Amino acid sequence: VSGLLTELGHTADDVGRYRRVTAGNPLVIRELVRNGSDRIGEEDPLPATEAVRATFRTQVAPLGARCRRALVFVAAAGRNDVPVLPAVLTANELSISDLDEAEAAGLLAVDAGRITFRHPLLRSAVYHDAPPAVRRAVHVGFAEALAEHTAPAHAERRVAHLAMAGDLPDESL
């Protein structure tokens, strides 16, 4: 922890405080420092997953509502969903350009037909911080868009999205 903080420009005095608050998680420390968050408190350490989510949440929060909404679609998209992502966004009154703000903030990259989050845990935080009803609606949107495609990979993803959109297990899926 002390080596990482030194590398990131902090003094040895910060080590104890960062270690307590982050439970020594280097990813969380790096993200807190990268985000310029020197206001971490002396409260009990958050569980690492919540600490990571909280760190990423502060980076996503300043984005506009359309961008944050589009990010949930991107976070829910699997590799085989990317070809239908523009149609899914359009059906939900969004577009790829709504991601420009997130790209400018360095949260993701849109390049050559691929959309990549800066870190997989950022994707996880965006997805899991969305309300359950929003996540279900996103999955329904993907399932509807994939219904028009006949490739086996699309059919499998469609079923996966339908399963994630449901409240309870569904034997028919």
Side-chain angles (χ1 to χ4, degrees), residues 50-86:
E50 178 54 30
V52 170
R53 285 174 61 190
T55 298
F56 288 132
R57 192 178 297 127
T58 63
Q59 295 172 31
V60 172
L63 302 174
R66 291 180 62 83
C67 183
R68 289 192 316 269
R69 199 165 143 239
L71 281 173
V72 178
F73 283 91
V74 175
R79 205 169 305 135
N80 290 325
D81 300 330
V82 174
V84 298
L85 181 61

Side-chain angles (χ1 to χ4, degrees), residues 7-156:
E7 176 187 320
L8 295 171
H10 284 264
T11 66
D13 297 337
D14 293 328
V15 173
R17 182 167 50 107
Y18 274 85
R19 183 176 283 135
R20 280 189 300 279
V21 172
T22 66
N25 184 313
L27 172 63
V28 177
I29 292 169
R30 184 176 296 278
E31 289 299 327
L32 285 171
V33 172
R34 184 182 184 293
N35 195 37
S37 181
D38 289 324
R39 298 178 309 275
I40 60 171
E42 294 290 333
E43 15 344 284
D44 293 332
L46 300 168
T49 55
E50 178 54 30
V52 170
R53 285 174 61 190
T55 298
F56 288 132
R57 192 178 297 127
T58 63
Q59 295 172 31
V60 172
L63 302 174
R66 291 180 62 83
C67 183
R68 289 192 316 269
R69 199 165 143 239
L71 281 173
V72 178
F73 283 91
V74 175
R79 205 169 305 135
N80 290 325
D81 300 330
V82 174
V84 298
L85 181 61
V88 173
L89 289 171
T90 299
N92 287 276
E93 300 176 3
L94 297 167
S95 72
I96 294 292
S97 65
D98 287 314
L99 298 168
D100 290 350
E101 192 179 0
E103 188 174 22
L107 300 178
L108 54 74
V110 180
D111 185 41
R114 292 180 41 191
I115 301 173
T116 311
F117 278 93
R118 183 183 77 234
H119 194 282
L121 291 175
L122 174 56
R123 176 183 180 205
S124 178
V126 166
Y127 179 80
H128 290 289
D129 281 347
V134 170
R135 290 194 309 261
R136 285 191 297 275
V138 164
H139 289 296
V140 167
F142 275 108
E144 289 171 352
L146 289 166
E148 300 172 14
H149 297 269
T150 58
H154 292 303
E156 289 174 17

Side-chain angles (χ1 to χ4, degrees), residues 136 139 143 157-170 173:
R136 285 191 297 275
H139 289 296
R157 285 299 298 162
R158 180 176 183 274
V159 170
H161 282 294
L162 286 171
M164 290 183 273
D167 294 326
L168 300 170
D170 183 343
L173 295 177

